[in-house]
Each structure stands twice: as C-alpha cells, then as structure tokens.
Amino acid sequence: MQIEPASALLPAGTVLPPNETCEALARRLRAETEGEVLFDAGSRGRYATDASIYQIMPVGVLVPRTARDVALAIDIARDLKVPVLARGGGTSQCGQTTGAALVIDNSKHLRRVLDVDVQARTATVEPGLVLDHLNAQLKPHGLWYPVDVSTSAQATLGGMAGNNSCGSRSIAYGNMVHNVLGAQAWLSDGELVTFGPVAGLGGRAAAIADHVRRLAAQHSAEIAARWPKVMRRVAGYNLDIFYNQSEKPYTTDGSVNLAHLLVGSEGTLAITRSLTLQLAELPRAKVLGIVNFTSFHAAMDAAQHIVKLGPTAVELVDRTMIELALSNPAFRPTVETALIGRPAAILLVEFAGAEKATLLPQLRQLVELMGDLGLPGSVVQMPDDAPQKNLWDVRKAGLNIMMSLKGDGKPVSFIEDCAVPLEHLAEYTDGLTEVFAKYGSRGTWYAHASVGTLHVRPILDMRTDGGAKMRAIAEEASALVRKYKGAFSGEHGDGLCRGEWIEWQFGPAINAAFRSIKQHLDPLNLLNPGKIIDPPKMDDAALLRFAPPASPRPYQRIELKPVLDWSAWNVQADPVTEVTTPPGTGGDSTGGFAKAVEMCNNNGHCRKFDAGTMCPSYRVTRDEQHLTRGRANTLRLALSGQLGPDALASEELHATMDLCVGCKGCKRDCPTGVDMAKMKIEFLAHYKNKHGHTLKDRLVAHLPDYAHAASRLPWLANLHNRVPGAAWLGEKLLGLSRHRSLPYWRSKTFWRTRNASGFASRDALLAAAQAGQKTAVLFVDTFNGIFESENALAAARVLQAAGYLLHTVEKAGGHHCCGRTYLATGMVDEARAKAAALVAALAPFAQAGIAIVGLEPSCLLTLRDEALVMGLGEQAVTVSQQALLFEEFIAREARAGRFALALQPAGAPILLHGHCHQKAFGAVTPILDVLRLIPGAQPELIESSCCGMAGSFGYEAAHHAVSMQMAEASLLPAVRRQPDAIVVADGTSCRHQIADGAEREAVHVAVLLDRLLATPSAPA
Ligand SMILES: Cc1cc2nc3c(=O)[nH]c(=O)nc-3n(C[C@H](O)[C@H](O)[C@H](O)COP(=O)(O)OP(=O)(O)OC[C@H]3O[C@@H](n4cnc5c(N)ncnc54)[C@H](O)[C@@H]3O)c2cc1C
Ligand code: SF4
Ligand code: SF4
C-alpha cells in the first residue's frame, strides 16, 4: 500500500516534514513512549477528517497510554519540528481537528476522573473523558457537568474545552468557558503549566497572564467597539477575560481565570493534561411547555420575551422537522401530543428546578405570556417526565432524518451557529432564508432559540459549485450578523471554516493581539498551526474532503462493479425540495456503493456506549479502526483511490473490516443510516475474489449444503466436541477456536420428525387462506431445522394451538436456505442462488397474503434486507413484505384480535436478550409484547449490544477473545446477576454464547410459549 506524503492535501506553501522526518518521528515515538504509534496510510486516513467538510492527512497518530507519553511526544515532535494536534472524539464541525501534524488521540486511554469534590462541586478529569461518562459517575452524588452538548455521548472534555462548547441549556449554565475552573497544560516548549485564577498564579502562568493583560489594556477601546456582546461568541482567543464583553461574565465574582484563555483555543496554545470543572446540582424536576406558532417569524420574535421567564432551554423545531417527524409512524403519536393543528414552528420551553410544584407556576406564566403576545391557546403543557423525554428524542431523530439525505448535495455546516441578539432573531432568520433562496438552496432551522444560535445547513454539493455558493452565502450571512451585532462563530469554533472570519469579526488590531498571544505561548507554531492564526480560506479546494474537479486533488471514485445493488444510493437530490432522482441515476462509477459509504459525515455518533447496539467492536477496542466511522472512512479512501490501486481488496481494508460483526447496529443507530454490515459483504466479495476462500470459509458457507448428510452421522460430526485434541486440531487446521464447542449434530432433525406435526400441503394452505382461515408458512432455517429442531417444532405447536394451519417449504434433496452463511463469507453468487430459490418457493404464499414466519432473526430478516439488494426482482419485494419473525407475527395477530392462547405463568422472572438484527429491525418490542401474553410476566430487556458470537465470528480462534469481551460488556453479567431467571434469546449464536459464557440455558421464545401451553398439544 502506498503511503501518501504528508503534503498530500495541504494548501500551497505549507512547510512539511520530509519523509525521513516522519520516519524518525515514528521510530522515536515507538522507542520512547508506551503509546500506540499509527503511521500507516489507513490510520492516517482515518484521522484526516472530523465532522467538517475538510480532509488533511496527518503526519501520523499517537494514541498515548499515559500523560508521560503525551509529554514525550511533544518533546519529540518539537525536536523534529513536526506540528502537534490534540484530539478527542473528532466531532468538530469546522475542521479544527484536521491537520498535517502528529495527531494525539487522548480518547482511548486518558479518560479518568482524577478527583471529585462533592462539597465544592468540582471535578478534575483527563482530557479524553467523554461527557456522558463523567456525568454517569457524578449522578450518584446528585451532580452533573451541565454543558450538555448534543454530542455528549462522544464529545470529550478536552475537545469541549478546545472548542468552548455550549449545550442546549447554556442560557442557564453558560458555555465551557463559564464552567472551567482550571487546567494543567503543556506548552510547546514542554513546560507543564497550571492555569487558574490569576490572583494565585506564579512563574510561567503569571508571565502569560501579564502578557494577555497588557494586550487587553492596549486594545480595550477596540475590544469594547468590536467584540460581539452575546454569550455565544466562541471565535478567536478569549482576550476579554480581562475586560468582560460576554452577556454572562466568565466568573461570578468578576475575577480573572487564566484557564479561560485556553478554552476555545482549539489546541493552538497548549495541550491539556487535565481540567478542573465546576459542577452543578442535577435538576430534580423539569416541566416543558410547547408553544405552537402559525408563522416561523412569530416564533423567532417570541424567543426574546420567553427567555425573561427564566427557562433552562428554549429550543426551536421548524415545520420541515415537524413534518419529517409526523411522517415517521414511530414518532407521529409523540409529535401529535405537542401540536395544536399544523404549526409553522414550535418552541420547546423547559423549566428545571428542585420540585415540580414550584415549576408549574412558570408553565402558567408561559401560557399567560403567549396570551399577552396575541397567541392565546398556543401552549401545550407537558409536566410529566416520560412525554418530555419522548419529545426531546423526536427532536433528535428529526435532525437525523434531515442528515440522511442521499445524493451528492448534503446539508453543510458553515454558518450553522451564528449568534444574534434575540431582539433581531426574527429579522436575521428572514434575511438568511432569502439568501438561501437566492443561491438555490433551503435551510431547515432548529436548536437554541434561547441564545440566538439557530442551526441551519443549506444543501450544497461540494464536488461542484458548493464551495463558491458556500462563500457567497457566508458573505451575505456575515453582513446580516454584522448588521445585528452578532457573533459569526457562536458554538462550533473557528477551525478551517471560520478562521478567515476572525479578522473580519474583530478587526486587524485585535487579530494582531491574538497573534501575539499565540507567539507568546507557542513561538514555534507547533500546536495546531493554521487554526485561529493564519487560517486558510474556508473554500480552499485543496482542503475539501470532496474536492471539485478543478482542485489539486479532485475527489474521484474508482470504477467498480458492485456485487450488491446499491442503486438506491446512486441518486441526486434537489437542494430545495430534497426530491431524489430515480435509483441508479446519480452518476456513481461504483454503482452507488461509494455514495452509500460517503453517507458517513463523521459525526462520531458510533462512538457511543449507551443504549443501542452500535458499535460492538469499538466498545471493546476503543480503536478508530474498529469503529463504523473508521470503516466508512477507510472504504471512502479506498473507493476514491486515495489508498492506492486495488485498496478495496487490500489487507489494510481486511484488518479494518475484520472485527465488524455485521450486527447491523449502525444500520439503525447511525443518524445517516451507514449500513456497514452490508458494506462488509460487498468488501468480502471483492477481497475473497482476489485472495480466495479458506477451508474454514467453505465449511461455514456450505453448512446448509452438507448439514442434512452430516446429521445422518452425528457421532462423526460431533468428534470435534468429544475427542481430546480434536478441538486443538480444528484450531490449527481451520482456525476454529479450541475454546469453543461447536453446535451439536443430531440425526433427529426437524425435517425427519416434522411429518407428525400436521403441516398442510401447499395447495391446502393456499385454499385455506383463500377461505379466510388462519394460515402461515413456517420458514425453517438450517440452524433451527438441524441443530435445534425443538425450536421449529415448538413454534409449530404454538401456532397450531392458536388455530393456524401451517405449511413449510422444502426442495428436492433438502431444505431451503436464505443464503446467510454464504453472505458471511462473501460468496454473494452462491447466496443469491440460495435466496432466489427460497424466494421463488415462498412467492406464491406471499402473493396470496400469507405470512412467512421465521425463527432465526438473521435468516428471516435476510428476506427483508439482503435479499432486496441481490437482484431478485419484484418477487423478493413481495416476499419481504410478508416475512415476519415468529414474535412479530404473534404480536401482529394478537393486536388484530386473531391470536389467543391459554398459557400458564412462567414461575420465574424472564430476561430477554435481543438479537442484533432484531434490534436493527425494531423487532424487540414484539418479543416483549408476546412475553407479556404469559400471565403475570414482566419481561426485562437486557441492555446489551452484540452478544459477540455473531454467526461464526465468535467461533473463530482469531476472534474468540474479542467475542468474549463483547459478551462480558453487559450480556453475561446481566444473565449471571439473575440466576433464577428464564433467559430468552431468539438467536442461535446468542444462545450458544450464553451457554458458553454463563453456563446457562437460553431458549427461543417459541420454546418458552410451548412449555407454558396450558393444554400441551400432542408431541410432534
Ligand atoms: C451532530 C453534531 C452535534 C453537535 N452538537 C454540538 C452542541 O450541541 N454544542 C457544541 O458546542 N458543539 C456541538 N458539536 C460540535 C462538537 O461535537 C463539540 O465541539 C465537541 O465538544 C467536540 O468534542 P470532541 O471530543 O469531539 O473534540 P475534538 O473534535 O476531538 O477536538 C476539538 C478541539 O479541541 C482540541 N483539543 C482536543 N483535545 C485537546 C487537548 N487535550 N488539549 C488541547 N486541545 C485539545 C482539538 O485540537 C480541536 O481543536 C456537534 C457536532 C456534531 C457532529
Ligand atoms: S458511521 Fe454513522 S454514526 Fe458513525 S460517524 Fe459516520 S455517520 Fe456518524
Ligand atoms: S455492523 Fe455492527 S460491528 Fe459492524 S460497523 Fe456496524 S455496528 Fe459496528
């Protein structure tokens, strides 16, 4: 694989370290630090982007294990004159986390809470700690860190301080600068300096304070004249610490804190070792008032009056977002609870405090205020917690839908956080809307009305005229900001996107003062050069991730014939109406695969650890490489030729995709719907096409083919589990872990025992359906048909007991298979043949409206997912529409009043582990619904990500350790905590993992229902 020179994507004139310097840097970092040293092209590529539109290849990456590593790295980089760029979650939107530098990623190891002083309400933390993780540790003390950024699940405190981040509730709590009490940080000369209250400083810190004080005094007139007088100003350096200009002073007692100089400095002045934070009491009660407006202008105009009531948040949701949420069946009921008619916009007004009773009068005041403003009856009062949470969730989801626009035009963040005084908000938004229209675009508005910072992203295609339009819109937006005396950069920082606007905002004298601060702290210009001081043009084409054809490095896609159908992504979208062209018309030379990959906008949501599945391999490794974002970035670089020829089939890409368990967590949890499981299939097909399949691949893939024959000789097939040394041999020869037992073969398969089960013939079933009888086709997969036939037989008994006539499909010489095992090994042609045969067999029933009921989530859901992208035509679509999991079918029938069953109580608590694919398809709720049919049952869902087995993944020797770590992350401890519980798990691999890891039986929901049938039917 080629390693691109570090100069690859830099603006002209940038002085770069020569290759021998990079090599020396890597060598010394390896020799002198304990950190992970990543200088290969793939790793550098994964750190070349943040959540902005830019891309700059770093020189290399250090993932330090200790603070000492960071100190050493600064020294080594200084010796070799290589710039240094500190990084947290890499979720910045302006490009401040990209640079031709040695990137130091603090997020993996430097994430400890060093100290919490509950009395003083302070905490000292390492820079790589994620906000949500800090707040989880503070919760037992009734405290939190209240700068509640939307990216709280992935933003690190170091990055938040770097950007002077601001949360939804900044009107009550302020920005980072208002909530940082101190910092320890290294200057580029290696000195570790303690920044804190100026009164107590000595040595180097006092000298810095003196320098900044002199500058502030020298420029006091300019500061008074030019500094935006809004709270949301994050541009430049905080020269105003000595001469407050913020609506909310940085300290409550008027003192000066030098740590505030570092806040918002984007890693250009010092590298933070630790931060001391001001904590707040966790609000114990919240109430919400939703104000409905008939015009957007009225909503903007009202914000200035509403804030006087003392809310903790005033958040805007505009009509586009409301409509998006209403069009989603899952969210519609929640949104409707907030609406009065069809408003043009709503404001979510939150009041928080110690008790609900004291907050209710504030809600009433809101109602009165709206009456006074001529909008009586416009407020929906929401005092209860659950509906409030649902509504906040919907607001987030609305943004996600907006971000999932397909095509080359994307909502671009570059003026999305301009802040204007509230009295001008309405005129400002009117003016900007006109600007968008002028440039053939449109914006969806949302977020922080309370502080005059509304997020809005016009849709632009950076590959064509996006850069020119971006500049034109930015220029007109800046004129509006100036007119209304606002701040151009009000939340997301300066970076590459807004750096050039610093001088525009503050004027040449203050800009020179900023330069003087930089020179005083970092005379070598070692720390994140090109940010804040000497920034490039925002539309410098050499810096764009998707650079246009005329640029030095135009973004190009390779020619590729994909094995799956990606045409749904191969479209273009109208920037105003967002209507997309038909599938396949988007001009993507990879048939849409590249465009699907490019959906990743690097927002970093896949770095989360909370509820949901995404991304199990990141959760156990914390490596950027083993993260959905890292994979998408590597694929994008490969598909655009930036990792050299044939990179798609390279070992680098194999290593990057290897730990992806294909759980489809990202398909559901990623805001833009990046479906890495499907991408892994596409990758594997190309990789295996070049490198060939291993014996293990063949054994796994062809399991459905030989399963019937092997099950006739179970004693032979089970030797692996019985004969000493066989497992060891299996590991040596096949790569199957010797620590795993393999599924047990039995001769009594479903196919050999089902005759007694009363299945109807094909014609009898079709006739019965036509006659209005209750019917279903039971699709029995390889696993439930061969290894765990009791599941299929139990399902049949349960459905028959509820009065359903059943049929099952088979073919001459065996059973049908969905093709999953072939997909898992990249044998797409074979998978297509299997799936085609299955679809053809099921189609007549699907066409007759008969449900296809399956037991194994990964198999049944293949019919609703991969079978639709294998070129199987309309038949596959018809089948997919009737394909239901056993529990989905029962839940649906029960809702329709067609399903009733006499069941006995379970007699024990029930614990449920959802299969990842069930979660991805929203099929966990139906299992809970079905389990609640059991008298007295209160099933408890285990909050788990992937079980770690994931088909054959966990059986493989190379993956055994990671597989167990995934299981131990939450599933196995939860199972062990309840030794008496009945464990329900519908996935065959999940059951195996639970048996292996916790030595507990887990059962398919069909088996549990069958065991609890009040009048057991005759055994089959
Ligand atoms: C979808 C989305 C929503 C967002 N919502 C918000 C929001 O509500 N409010 C908000 O303010 N921002 C928001 N952001 C922007 C971003 O998430 C925040 O600024 C966040 O705090 C950045 O944290 P991070 O760990 O990703 O920082 P990074 O991007 O990794 O770094 C940010 C800056 O800090 C510097 N830095 C990092 N660590 C150090 C260190 N140890 N020493 C010195 N400098 C360091 C970096 O060099 C960089 O300049 C959003 C972004 C996205 C994509
Ligand atoms: S994969 Fe999805 S969640 Fe992860 S960074 Fe990309 S867009 Fe965000
Ligand atoms: S499929 Fe699962 S493991 Fe793979 S990237 Fe997505 S969330 Fe991560």
Side-chain angles (χ1 to χ4, degrees):
M1 179 160 302
Q2 286 181 347
I3 296 194
E4 279 197 287
S7 59
L9 294 164
L10 279 178
T14 308
V15 182
L16 295 157
N19 266 354
E20 53 276 21
T21 307
C22 300
E23 281 162 22
L25 179 66
R27 202 169 44 244
R28 282 193 61 187
L29 288 170
R30 285 196 181 103
E32 296 171 38
T33 76
E34 294 172 291
E36 298 164 46
V37 180
L38 311 170
F39 274 58
D40 59 288
S43 296
R44 288 166 55 223
R46 283 185 284 277
Y47 282 91
T49 43
D50 54 13
S52 70
I53 51 176
Y54 301 103
Q55 171 178 309
I56 304 177
M57 281 295 163
V59 174
V61 181
L62 174 75
V63 184
R65 282 182 209 282
T66 61
R68 181 177 166 272
D69 286 346
V70 181
L72 284 169
I74 295 170
D75 290 345
I76 296 168
R78 187 180 58 251
D79 284 355
L80 296 169
K81 298 190 174 49
V82 175
V84 176
L85 169 54
R87 177 172 165 125
T91 67
S92 293
Q93 294 197 12
C94 300
Q96 55 267 57
T97 324
T98 64
L102 170 68
V103 171
I104 300 183
D105 177 356
N106 294 303
S107 67
K108 183 169 178 182
H109 299 293
L110 303 182
R111 52 187 174 83
R112 287 176 304 163
V113 177
L114 300 173
D115 180 54
V116 177
D117 185 335
V118 175
Q119 295 306 320
R121 291 190 185 161
T122 63
T124 301
V125 303
E126 289 185 318
L129 179 69
V130 167
L131 174 60
D132 274 359
H133 303 177
L134 168 64
N135 279 334
Q137 295 193 46
L138 295 174
K139 199 172 176 188
H141 304 297
L143 298 172
W144 74 316
Y145 187 62
V147 185
D148 56 337
V149 291
S150 315
T151 40
S152 61
Q154 50 274 353
T156 62
L157 273 309
M160 289 172 63
N163 285 349
N164 192 3
S165 294
C166 331
S168 299
R169 295 170 177 86
S170 63
I171 189 172
Y173 298 102
N175 311 341
M176 276 304 279
V177 70
H178 300 100
N179 294 280
V180 168
L181 297 174
Q184 270 206 327
W186 292 279
L187 302 180
S188 57
D189 63 10
E191 183 170 350
L192 182 64
V193 178
T194 300
F195 294 76
V198 165
L201 297 179
R204 187 71 177 269
I208 294 171
D210 286 346
H211 182 77
V212 179
R213 185 189 289 114
R214 272 195 301 277
L215 285 170
Q218 187 187 340
H219 296 289
S220 59
E222 278 286 287
I223 292 174
R226 305 204 59 139
W227 210 273
K229 308 289 184 283
V230 290
M231 182 174 58
R232 291 300 200 97
R233 186 279 318 156
V234 300
Y237 295 133
N238 294 331
L239 184 56
D240 60 337
I241 50 174
F242 284 103
Y243 194 35
N244 175 59
Q245 302 296 310
S246 175
E247 278 175 302
K248 188 178 174 82
Y250 300 156
T251 57
T252 47
D253 58 2
S255 62
V256 177
N257 188 321
L258 192 64
H260 295 164
L261 181 70
L262 297 189
V263 178
S265 66
E266 300 184 2
T268 61
L269 297 181
I271 304 282
T272 314
R273 180 190 176 176
S274 67
L275 288 161
T276 300
L277 308 170
Q278 177 69 66
L279 309 177
E281 194 181 339
L282 254 180
R284 284 196 283 273
K286 288 178 188 166
V287 296
L288 191 63
I290 303 108
V291 191
N292 285 245
F293 295 89
T294 48
S295 84
F296 182 78
H297 185 93
M300 295 298 85
D301 204 33
Q304 57 187 312
H305 306 293
I306 292 174
V307 294
K308 293 184 185 137
L309 300 178
T312 40
V314 183
E315 293 282 296
L316 167 76
V317 181
D318 81 352
R319 173 171 277 154
T320 312
M321 284 241 184
I322 295 170
E323 295 298 332
L324 285 170
L326 283 173
S327 65
N328 182 322
F331 298 133
R332 190 181 179 99
T334 302
V335 185
E336 282 175 339
T337 61
L339 301 184
I340 300 169
R342 278 290 168 100
I346 54 175
L347 288 178
L348 277 54
V349 185
E350 182 193 86
F351 301 96
E355 287 169 41
K356 258 204 183 144
T358 58
L359 299 173
L360 293 174
Q362 284 180 281
L363 259 191
R364 284 196 288 277
Q365 281 175 3
L366 178 66
V367 175
E368 282 163 24
L369 172 70
M370 297 323 296
D372 294 346
L373 293 175
L375 291 167
S378 61
V379 182
V380 174
Q381 298 184 51
M382 207 171 262
D384 296 333
D385 295 342
Q388 285 179 41
K389 183 182 175 305
N390 291 344
L391 201 60
W392 286 117
D393 287 350
V394 169
R395 172 168 115 50
K396 277 191 194 167
L399 169 63
N400 293 346
I401 298 168
M402 186 184 93
M403 292 304 298
S404 60
L405 181 71
K406 289 175 180 159
D408 290 345
K410 299 285 180 208
V412 178
S413 163
F414 63 102
I415 46 160
E416 92 152 7
D417 55 335
C418 300
V420 294
L422 287 188
E423 62 269 26
H424 302 303
L425 197 55
E427 292 155 71
Y428 166 73
T429 49
D430 284 351
L432 204 50
T433 301
E434 281 173 29
V435 173
F436 292 154
K438 184 169 156 191
Y439 294 99
S441 190
R442 184 173 68 93
T444 297
W445 299 86
Y446 65 98
H448 322 305
S450 54
V451 283
T453 308
L454 293 179
H455 292 339
V456 61
R457 296 182 175 197
I459 294 164
L460 299 175
D461 181 357
M462 301 312 289
R463 298 165 177 80
T464 56
D465 58 356
K469 282 187 176 170
M470 175 170 77
R471 169 160 299 282
I473 293 173
E475 277 171 4
E476 299 216 24
S478 67
L480 288 169
V481 169
R482 175 153 289 160
K483 180 175 167 193
Y484 298 120
K485 296 190 169 39
F488 195 61
S489 184
E491 180 171 306
H492 294 150
D494 296 319
L496 300 167
C497 188
R498 263 93 63 95
E500 66 169 295
W501 298 92
I502 295 175
E503 186 162 359
W504 167 90
Q505 178 90 70
F506 296 100
I510 295 179
N511 201 43
F514 289 161
R515 182 180 300 280
S516 172
I517 292 174
K518 169 77 173 173
Q519 278 168 355
H520 191 82
L521 277 92
D522 178 25
L524 299 171
N525 197 19
L526 198 74
L527 305 180
N528 204 3
K531 316 291 155 46
I532 300 184
I533 304 302
D534 296 329
K537 291 283 179 200
M538 70 187 300
D539 54 346
D540 184 336
L543 301 176
L544 296 177
R545 201 190 308 173
F546 299 110
S551 60
R553 284 182 172 267
Y555 185 79
Q556 289 164 335
R557 301 183 183 111
I558 61 168
E559 295 288 330
L560 183 88
K561 197 170 174 332
V563 294
L564 298 176
D565 177 5
W566 298 94
S567 62
W569 280 266
N570 194 7
V571 296
Q572 293 293 6
D574 184 294
V576 177
T577 62
E578 297 186 14
V579 172
T580 51
T581 58
T585 59
D588 180 352
S589 56
T590 70
F593 181 36
K595 285 201 186 209
V597 168
E598 292 160 13
M599 291 299 293
C600 172
N601 64 10
N602 276 256
N603 62 56
H605 192 54
C606 39
R607 294 170 67 94
K608 72 194 179 72
F609 280 78
D610 58 0
T613 309
M614 173 174 76
C615 169
S617 51
Y618 176 71
R619 289 180 190 219
V620 299
T621 63
R622 290 181 188 259
D623 286 336
E624 186 69 28
Q625 183 176 26
H626 301 302
L627 171 70
T628 321
R629 177 175 75 177
R631 294 184 179 114
N633 277 327
T634 317
L635 279 169
R636 176 177 52 78
L637 292 167
L639 291 169
S640 55
Q642 296 182 69
L643 292 179
D646 213 11
L648 188 60
S650 66
E651 292 306 333
E652 159 65 37
L653 212 63
H654 184 265
T656 301
M657 302 302 283
D658 190 39
L659 297 191
C660 170
V661 290
C663 66
K664 304 190 184 180
C666 43
K667 181 187 173 82
R668 190 190 70 161
D669 297 349
C670 162
T672 66
V674 170
D675 185 352
M676 194 52 65
K678 209 169 278 165
M679 291 170 187
K680 181 167 183 181
I681 295 170
E682 182 72 46
F683 153 73
L684 271 179
H686 296 278
Y687 178 83
K688 294 289 180 183
N689 190 30
K690 181 172 176 189
H691 300 278
H693 288 96
T694 62
L695 183 55
K696 181 197 70 202
D697 289 341
R698 294 203 181 86
L699 267 179
V700 169
H702 291 284
L703 175 71
D705 290 335
Y706 62 77
H708 264 290
S711 65
R712 286 185 199 283
L713 302 167
W715 57 270
L716 184 61
N718 287 329
L719 284 181
H720 174 278
N721 293 347
R722 290 195 174 136
V723 175
W728 178 86
L729 206 60
E731 180 164 314
K732 288 276 164 237
L733 297 178
L734 299 170
L736 294 173
S737 170
R738 70 198 137 99
H739 303 295
R740 290 278 187 202
S741 60
L742 293 180
Y744 266 90
W745 295 87
R746 307 113 175 245
S747 55
K748 275 194 162 190
T749 67
F750 169 82
W751 309 100
R752 296 194 186 107
T753 49
R754 80 192 164 90
N755 284 345
S757 302
F759 280 88
S761 70
R762 173 187 191 276
D763 292 344
L765 193 83
L766 287 169
Q770 208 173 16
Q773 284 182 42
K774 299 200 293 189
T775 54
V777 172
L778 191 65
F779 161 50
V780 179
D781 56 89
T782 307
F783 305 99
N784 286 300
I786 305 276
F787 299 105
E788 295 181 281
S789 50
E790 64 274 18
N791 296 344
L793 295 169
R797 281 193 293 270
V798 170
L799 293 176
Q800 285 163 346
Y804 289 83
L805 189 66
L806 298 179
H807 172 74
T808 185
V809 289
E810 60 187 307
K811 61 182 180 187
H815 66 290
H816 278 290
C817 154
C818 65
R820 161 104 350 240
T821 55
Y822 300 92
L823 291 174
T825 47
M827 297 186 193
V828 176
D829 287 341
E830 291 85 341
R832 185 180 293 113
K834 299 285 174 195
L838 174 62
V839 163
L842 294 172
F845 305 104
Q847 280 152 4
I850 300 172
I852 315 295
V853 179
L855 299 168
E856 171 57 34
S858 57
C859 295
L860 184 280
L861 293 171
T862 300
L863 292 173
R864 299 219 304 247
D865 195 4
E866 290 87 349
L868 298 175
V869 292
M870 288 198 278
L872 302 180
E874 268 310 300
Q875 265 194 347
V877 177
T878 311
V879 168
S880 75
Q881 288 161 350
Q882 298 299 334
L884 291 171
L885 283 164
F886 174 78
E887 55 276 3
E888 289 180 307
F889 176 68
I890 293 183
R892 183 190 83 175
E893 296 293 287
R895 271 197 310 276
R898 286 192 295 264
F899 190 93
L901 214 53
L903 294 168
Q904 304 163 41
I910 299 174
L911 265 184
L912 171 65
H913 164 69
H915 184 285
C916 295
H917 295 184
Q918 283 175 315
K919 292 180 202 155
F921 283 81
V924 173
T925 309
I927 323 178
L928 290 166
D929 291 345
V930 168
L931 289 171
R932 289 192 194 103
L933 296 176
I934 299 167
Q938 292 180 325
E940 185 189 325
L941 180 65
I942 301 172
E943 273 299 342
S944 52
S945 178
C946 177
C947 73
M949 196 60 119
S952 63
F953 180 89
Y955 288 103
E956 294 163 17
H959 297 147
H960 179 257
V962 169
S963 164
M964 293 317 296
Q965 284 167 28
M966 289 180 185
E968 290 293 353
S970 50
L971 171 62
L972 297 181
V975 169
R976 290 187 200 110
R977 269 195 300 275
Q978 296 206 42
D980 302 330
I982 299 166
V983 183
V984 173
D986 285 354
T988 184
S989 342
C990 313
R991 289 191 292 273
H992 203 111
Q993 184 76 309
I994 292 167
D996 270 10
E999 296 181 355
R1000 290 275 292 281
E1001 180 204 44
V1003 293
H1004 194 284
V1005 65
V1007 169
L1008 181 60
L1009 293 188
D1010 182 44
R1011 285 179 190 170
L1012 299 176
L1013 281 177
T1015 324
S1017 44

